[in-house]
Amino acid sequence: MARIVAISNQKGGVGKTTTTVNLAAALAMRERKVLVVDVDAQGNASSGLGFPLGSITAGLYDLLMGELDFDAVLTKTENQRLHLIPASRDLSGAETELAIQPDRAAQLRRLLSLLNEQRENYDDILIDCPPSLGMLTINALVASDSVLIPLQAEYFAMEGLGELLRTIAHVRKGPNPKLEREGILITMTDQRNNLCREVEEQARKLFGNGVLTTVIPRNVRLGEAPSFGKSIVDYDPRSIGAQAYLDLADELLRRRQEAGIETKRAV
Ligand code: ATP
Ligand code: MG
């Protein structure tokens, strides 16, 4: 039974998509079957997996609006353990369309029920959220078991984190009481840089065990990989970026096992 994890932070450019794509590939390396759902109209996760917006004819929008079914939008990537529900250009209009739906409560549960139906087909479902707390992100949070929060090791990192945590709390009080925190992930860090170390220390002081032990270093290879439509473990498996995402996958699996939530399933 797949666990559904939203990768979310309304702050732009903090490593959400890089984490979604590379954690997905790292989990696939660990023999897990993974589905990536691209909920961001920018379509970065889709292009990072080899499907740039221009090449996509059907995607999440069609699924959310009930125009196509799951199989019609499911996209197989080069990696046979990794599937994708791509974003498509029209997804940018979905934010407004979802907000004015007459039956918003039912609409909110649509992504949830669509993904629930897929739980048995995957070990992990990762949702790449857009840099906002709009309707698409709320849809993703309602559909998820947990939220993984990338936190960029830089000066304004903590700014906006309160708002995100409040949004998560609201979703828990309302439509999705079971929503958990998968953890806060420090991204783009440089251990030689005082500021990066300070941000990490501050986060660990505030959130303790809620901050994952694994940190993602700044690594040029991670920045290059998407332009080849490849994850880091395919593009440069020996890079420190690839190692970091494999460590992240292992840590998440270990934490879940310790918490008794991991259901082992042979692929
Ligand atoms: P958005 O809010 O626009 O969706 P995002 O949070 O998804 O952005 P990414 O697209 O993952 O952020 O990363 C922003 C930029 O930083 C990208 O160009 C990406 O390649 C680069 N990047 C992300 N993580 C790293 C890293 N660890 N090392 C080097 N470059 C990185
Ligand atoms: Mg992104």
Side-chain angles (χ1 to χ4, degrees):
M1 282 284 278
R3 183 166 168 85
I4 306 175
V5 180
I7 291 90
S8 183
N9 186 335
Q10 78 279 19
K11 216 166 153 60
V14 298
K16 293 180 287 295
T17 302
T18 305
T19 296
T20 305
V21 167
N22 295 308
L23 174 60
L27 286 164
M29 280 267 286
R30 296 299 187 238
E31 312 232 306
R32 299 173 67 86
K33 207 164 171 223
V34 187
L35 174 68
V36 167
V37 185
D38 191 351
V39 170
D40 184 0
Q42 298 179 96
N44 295 151
S46 307
S47 66
L49 287 168
F51 297 89
L53 276 185
S55 72
I56 296 163
T57 49
L60 183 69
Y61 177 87
D62 309 283
L63 196 60
L64 280 180
M65 297 303 156
E67 282 160 19
L68 289 173
D69 66 12
F70 187 85
D71 289 331
V73 295
L74 183 68
T75 305
K76 297 195 168 149
T77 72
E78 260 178 41
N79 183 332
Q80 55 167 341
R81 289 209 184 88
L82 213 168
H83 290 172
L84 168 73
I85 298 293
S88 46
R89 287 224 165 83
D90 41 16
L91 193 58
S92 52
E95 200 82 62
T96 338
E97 282 177 54
L98 290 172
I100 57 171
Q101 286 279 326
D103 192 356
R104 256 171 74 170
Q107 179 60 46
L108 255 184
R109 270 182 273 277
R110 193 170 169 78
L111 184 60
L112 168 69
S113 67
L114 285 162
L115 295 184
N116 261 340
E117 283 169 23
Q118 297 303 318
R119 277 188 199 264
E120 283 182 18
N121 298 329
Y122 296 94
D123 297 305
D124 298 277
I125 299 179
L126 302 183
I127 309 180
D128 186 24
C129 292
S132 82
L133 294 173
M135 284 307 290
L136 284 168
T137 296
I138 302 297
N139 270 256
L141 294 179
V142 171
S144 295
D145 297 312
S146 70
V147 197
L148 177 62
I149 305 170
L151 188 77
Q152 188 181 349
E154 53 138 40
Y155 187 56
F156 289 117
M158 301 287 186
E159 213 175 63
L161 198 56
E163 201 186 345
L164 174 60
L165 297 178
R166 273 193 297 281
T167 304
I168 294 171
H170 274 303
V171 172
R172 281 173 61 97
K173 263 185 235 143
N176 186 4
K178 291 201 208 111
L179 184 64
E180 294 172 8
R181 277 193 226 157
E182 192 76 13
I184 294 173
L185 173 69
I186 309 283
T187 62
M188 291 184 246
T189 192
D190 176 354
Q191 295 301 325
R192 294 162 303 182
N193 181 319
N194 285 339
L195 181 59
C196 289
R197 286 205 310 271
E198 276 167 30
V199 171
E200 185 179 340
E201 271 168 31
Q202 199 187 349
R204 292 197 189 281
K205 216 156 123 191
L206 268 173
F207 299 104
N209 192 33
V211 180
L212 298 164
T213 310
T214 307
V215 297
I216 308 299
R218 191 171 272 288
N219 174 221
V220 281
R221 307 299 267 169
L222 281 169
E224 291 165 5
S227 57
F228 297 92
K230 285 185 171 178
S231 78
I232 193 67
V233 296
D234 290 316
Y235 177 65
D236 187 353
R238 290 207 285 217
S239 62
I240 57 163
Q243 190 53 55
Y245 277 105
L246 285 166
D247 289 347
L248 175 64
D250 292 340
E251 181 179 356
L252 292 181
L253 296 178
R254 197 175 55 243
R255 279 184 175 235
R256 288 182 203 169
Q257 236 167 6
E258 284 166 7
I261 17 186
E262 180 55 14
T263 43
K264 271 242 158 76
R265 201 202 70 162
V267 179

